[in-house]
Amino acid sequence: MRVHKLTFAALAVAAGLSLTACQSDDASTGKSDPSSAPTASPASNVSSSGGSSDSGSSSQGGAKATTGTSSGGSGSGGKGTAAGAGSDANAKAGRCRTDELEVTATDNTIDGDANRTVVVEFKNGGGRDCTISGYAGVDLKTNAGTVSAKRTGQETTSAVLKNGKSTYFPVSYPFNKSGGSGVRITGLVVTPPNETKSVTLNWPGAASLPVTDGSGASVTVGPVGSAGQGG
């Protein structure tokens, strides 16, 4: 019996040690569980990242802010557009269109000149500045057909015609001194430089051209800007 008691006692001690070891293992296992907390840490970092992205507002608000920034990036394109508008204002103005110009013609003959002169005025009434340069197309309508003016060959210059301002060019032509009927002029057709639309005006000069065989003086036109106001 004494031997059995000792054996049971030994078994009890061994069981107690085994239970203590299990508890110790459980405790160490319990301590290892928090190590899973760092695995959740990246999620909290993402959340934190999202918080800084929306600057303290909701993540949806942050997305709008990002869109706004992106829009602002194209908004820097927007600034470019604004700058473009400014640069448009400073860039060369578009060319003067026929519909923007008020076209008139006046006699500007000086006594003693071999030929007579009509001055054509282009007044900018388009509400904007525009550029004009070169030679206008000029045709005289006559009872014998159309007579086209030849260019004088003078150098041309490009100029900005301010809104409300005018520029002028001359039309020089021989006039009939024979006493006969000559070639009667019935109208003046003017086409601004680089345009295809024409304006027909009443002819303000001498009533007729001399009848020629083509060897006499011809009708000529100077470049825009080559005549001053009234001449």
Side-chain angles (χ1 to χ4, degrees):
M1 290 295 293
R2 185 180 179 89
V3 172
H4 286 295
K5 284 181 181 178
L6 287 172
T7 300
F8 285 135
L11 288 171
V13 170
L17 289 172
S18 175
L19 178 62
T20 302
C22 289
Q23 287 176 346
S24 176
D25 289 340
D26 290 342
S28 71
T29 304
K31 286 181 181 177
S32 70
D33 287 341
S35 70
S36 64
T39 54
S41 172
S44 91
N45 286 341
V46 170
S47 171
S48 170
S49 171
S52 67
S53 168
D54 60 17
S55 304
S57 45
S58 69
S59 61
Q60 184 177 3
K64 287 181 180 176
T66 302
T67 302
T69 304
S70 172
S71 175
S74 52
S76 83
K79 288 183 182 177
T81 302
S87 69
D88 285 345
N90 296 326
K92 288 183 178 180
R95 77 169 182 265
C96 299
R97 302 286 185 177
T98 302
D99 291 337
E100 297 176 311
L101 298 172
E102 298 171 18
V103 187
T104 56
T106 56
D107 182 27
N108 195 54
T109 299
I110 298 174
D111 290 342
D113 283 355
N115 290 334
R116 305 193 71 165
T117 303
V118 164
V119 168
V120 178
E121 175 185 1
F122 286 145
K123 182 176 182 180
N124 183 0
R128 67 177 182 100
D129 297 349
C130 60
T131 58
I132 192 165
S133 65
Y135 285 82
V138 172
D139 295 302
L140 300 187
K141 296 172 70 175
T142 76
N143 62 339
T146 300
V147 177
S148 296
K150 297 179 181 178
R151 298 178 178 183
T152 60
Q154 291 174 258
E155 185 178 353
T156 64
T157 58
S158 179
V160 174
L161 185 59
K162 298 289 187 180
N163 183 46
K165 298 300 182 180
S166 297
T167 188
Y168 306 82
F169 68 88
V171 178
S172 177
Y173 64 100
F175 63 101
N176 179 26
K177 297 180 281 187
S178 67
S181 60
V183 178
R184 186 166 53 86
I185 304 171
T186 59
L188 171 64
V189 181
V190 177
T191 308
N194 303 308
E195 287 290 288
T196 57
K197 187 175 182 179
S198 302
V199 176
T200 300
L201 307 172
N202 291 327
W203 175 248
S208 61
L209 301 172
V211 177
T212 86
D213 57 5
S215 60
S218 59
V219 179
T220 60
V221 55
V224 172
S226 62
Q229 183 173 358

